[in-house]
Amino acid sequence: MNVIWLSDPHFTHEGDVLGHDPRVRLRAAIDHINAHHTDARFCVISGDMVNRGAEDDYTALHTQLDRLSIPFLPMVGNHDNRALLRQFLPLPDTCMSRFVQYHVSTPEGLIVCLDTQKEGSDGGEFCRERRAWLTDVLEKAEGVPVYLFMHHPPHSLGLPMQDTGKMEEGAAFLDLVSKYECVKYMFIGHVHRPITGTVRGVPFATMRSVLYQAPAPRPDWDWESFSPGQEAPNLGVLTISGTSVTLQYEQFCSYQRGVRDQ
Ligand SMILES: [Fe+2]
């Protein structure tokens, strides 16, 4: 089973974001998927669907995502407006009533998309209500492999500026997920960089943004010196088969192609 993974499109219906046009970048990603990945089961988009959380952005985003030849699963990030996302983007029936948190059954296991948004903050949280929902899902998984998608990382990744925006009480989250052998992988957005590793024995991967990339942590940088976009965007192609998981980071356009006037 193949699953396409996009992250952080920061879509706007007009204008640009840090010198890049999110419409151009997302269109390139969709064209690439429609040309090469029509066999994928769906496309997960791990948050920051829009850049400012406005109604016009969600409606225009939905129109653009409707061009996808495969279904898409939207997720909430710190830039999103949870209520507008729920109103304007389609969500599975399993979705919690107050959050953008749901699961999808597949022949290769359960895809679980978590809501790590803390309203009014760039950092994340995973409150008692969401944790109870996840606990219930993991208890009932009974040996079915579980793949977790989330926006905020629960732990530090060696990125000095983004690490401050990780999930609050991430240790409690990791206490929970590392207890369950059915949790096979965590796929994380938010940081706009590709990183892989393990935490508490659980493998994880992060993803480049559809729009602009965060620089590597060396040489040191801060938000003052931040100059995004020197690297081209990627999408992820996940192949899940039995006990094996492969993630291909795949470039779908050049760095230049994302600039405003094209
Ligand atoms: Fe983002």
Side-chain angles (χ1 to χ4, degrees):
M1 175 180 77
N2 282 356
V3 171
I4 303 299
W5 177 19
L6 299 180
S7 198
D8 295 81
H10 287 252
F11 190 83
T12 59
H13 73 286
E14 58 183 8
D16 68 35
V17 177
L18 298 172
H20 304 283
D21 188 331
R23 299 164 300 184
V24 173
R25 283 289 166 103
L26 184 60
R27 192 160 56 236
I30 291 171
D31 288 346
H32 183 92
I33 294 166
N34 289 347
H36 303 291
H37 296 295
T38 53
D39 62 333
R41 195 166 183 95
F42 43 66
C43 171
V44 183
I45 310 172
S46 53
D48 284 353
M49 304 297 297
V50 305
N51 196 50
R52 285 186 207 88
E55 182 172 327
D56 287 348
D57 296 324
Y58 283 105
T59 52
L61 173 63
H62 193 179
T63 301
Q64 193 152 336
L65 287 173
D66 274 345
R67 288 185 53 242
L68 270 171
S69 57
I70 56 175
F72 64 92
L73 298 174
M75 292 176 57
V76 71
N78 49 298
H79 281 257
D80 286 299
N81 178 306
R82 188 186 277 131
L84 291 176
L85 192 160
R86 288 179 57 90
Q87 186 178 350
F88 291 108
L89 297 180
L91 291 166
D93 293 342
T94 57
C95 193
M96 294 179 76
S97 58
R98 293 199 319 114
F99 296 99
V100 181
Q101 181 158 301
Y102 53 85
H103 57 78
V104 179
S105 283
T106 77
E108 297 291 348
L110 203 58
I111 304 292
V112 180
C113 296
L114 301 177
D115 181 334
T116 60
Q117 189 193 62
K118 179 180 183 180
E119 266 188 58
S121 168
D122 279 335
E125 68 174 4
F126 200 62
C127 63
R128 192 177 301 225
E129 192 176 348
R130 284 170 274 185
R131 209 155 55 221
W133 180 96
L134 177 59
T135 304
D136 188 53
V137 167
L138 296 177
E139 282 290 329
K140 290 173 178 161
E142 290 182 344
V144 172
V146 173
Y147 300 95
L148 300 177
F149 284 82
M150 67 197 79
H151 187 71
H152 294 85
H155 60 304
S156 296
L157 294 166
L159 301 170
M161 303 307 289
Q162 293 105 315
D163 282 350
T164 61
K166 66 179 191 282
M167 185 194 298
E168 281 177 11
E169 297 175 3
F173 175 84
L174 291 171
D175 284 345
L176 172 64
V177 300
S178 62
K179 228 170 59 181
Y180 290 88
E181 208 172 302
C182 59
V183 176
K184 301 302 183 194
Y185 226 109
M186 298 191 295
F187 302 106
I188 301 166
H190 190 53
V191 297
H192 296 221
R193 280 205 69 73
I195 300 167
T196 62
T198 64
V199 57
R200 307 268 194 101
V202 183
F204 70 87
T206 68
M207 178 51 65
R208 284 198 164 102
S209 162
V210 170
L211 187 62
Y212 64 87
Q213 315 314 318
R218 299 289 181 273
D220 290 343
W221 59 271
D222 56 27
W223 293 117
E224 299 289 301
S225 61
F226 182 71
S227 65
Q230 306 305 312
E231 299 171 26
N234 282 172
L235 55 75
V237 183
L238 283 166
T239 302
I240 303 172
S241 177
T243 56
S244 140
V245 177
T246 305
L247 168 60
Q248 308 276 352
Y249 287 102
E250 207 165 284
Q251 185 173 330
F252 59 82
C253 70
S254 69
Y255 160 61
Q256 286 298 331
R257 198 170 152 198
V259 299
R260 186 187 337 181
D261 298 329
Q262 291 182 316

